[in-house]
Amino acid sequence: MTSADPTRWAVVVPVKDPARGKSRLEVAGVDRVALARAIALDTLAAAAACPEVERVIVVTDDAALPLHAVGIPHLRWVDETATRERLAAAGAGGAAATLPEAGLDGAVALGMAEAGETMPRAALLGDLPALRPDDLAAALRTAASVDRAVVADGEGTGSTLVTAAPRVSWRSAFGAGSFARHVGLGCAPLDIAPTSTVRRDVDTAAQLEAAAALGVGERTSALLALS
């Protein structure tokens, strides 16, 4: 097995089962589950195409997602449900096993355990349908100069990208108002242009419209064209 390039990044992308996720994303004429999955797939495709990225680790409880992602290179899969069950069983048997909390940060922690600490790591939200590989590359190159970094979302209150340098322990605090929490954890705010596609996450129809103005990926675009 070829060893990882220590100058390139491991990017962890948590993706919730679309049957439960994106409950606020309602677009007339578009199936919400299909749209949520398309957004995630376009995010993964852009991250995998980024020249700074060595591997993309997808943590998901959507069993169908790997089938839809055939053709996207450099993806590694962590089955969130199965991994939690395995860790819980190991802990019950007295083995040394840490079970991360449920939720977004817990899913990210499972991916970071898979990534290890020998290369730079980033957690990237899985709802960036307009993401461009060059925008992600620019953000990661900027983040490489600090131990921890964070990119604010388009509204300036949330976080879309959090990073850690090699051998720096992982910390994250995603959720509403997470930008301030990440700064409090020691993440340096990255000076990323307001128009960067790294900042344009999507939870609502209005945010999707803003992302579409930047140009969304082919799967999201195809669904919107049918509406």
Side-chain angles (χ1 to χ4, degrees), residues 117-144:
E117 294 190 349
T118 60
M119 61 195 302
R121 291 145 292 145
L124 178 73
L125 293 188
D127 58 358
L128 300 164
L131 182 65
R132 296 189 186 116
D134 56 340
D135 282 350
L136 179 58
L140 294 176
R141 284 194 295 267
T142 303

Side-chain angles (χ1 to χ4, degrees), residues 63-197:
L65 190 63
L67 299 176
H68 291 276
V70 171
I72 301 177
H74 312 309
L75 300 184
R76 298 191 181 189
W77 297 94
V78 174
D79 184 319
E80 182 176 3
T81 301
T83 303
R84 286 186 177 280
E85 290 175 350
R86 176 176 55 80
L87 290 174
T98 301
L99 185 62
E101 64 189 55
L104 193 56
D105 289 310
V108 170
L110 293 176
M112 291 300 165
E114 173 72 16
E117 294 190 349
T118 60
M119 61 195 302
R121 291 145 292 145
L124 178 73
L125 293 188
D127 58 358
L128 300 164
L131 182 65
R132 296 189 186 116
D134 56 340
D135 282 350
L136 179 58
L140 294 176
R141 284 194 295 267
T142 303
S145 63
V146 295
D147 282 350
R148 305 179 193 277
V150 60
V151 173
D153 64 10
E155 288 68 40
T157 57
S159 311
T160 59
L161 181 75
V162 176
T163 72
R167 290 169 292 280
V168 172
S169 60
W170 181 258
R171 300 175 188 169
S172 68
F174 284 101
S178 66
F179 181 72
R181 290 195 300 276
H182 282 126
V183 172
L185 288 174
C187 294
L190 294 187
D191 185 15
I192 300 297
T195 55
S196 171
T197 58

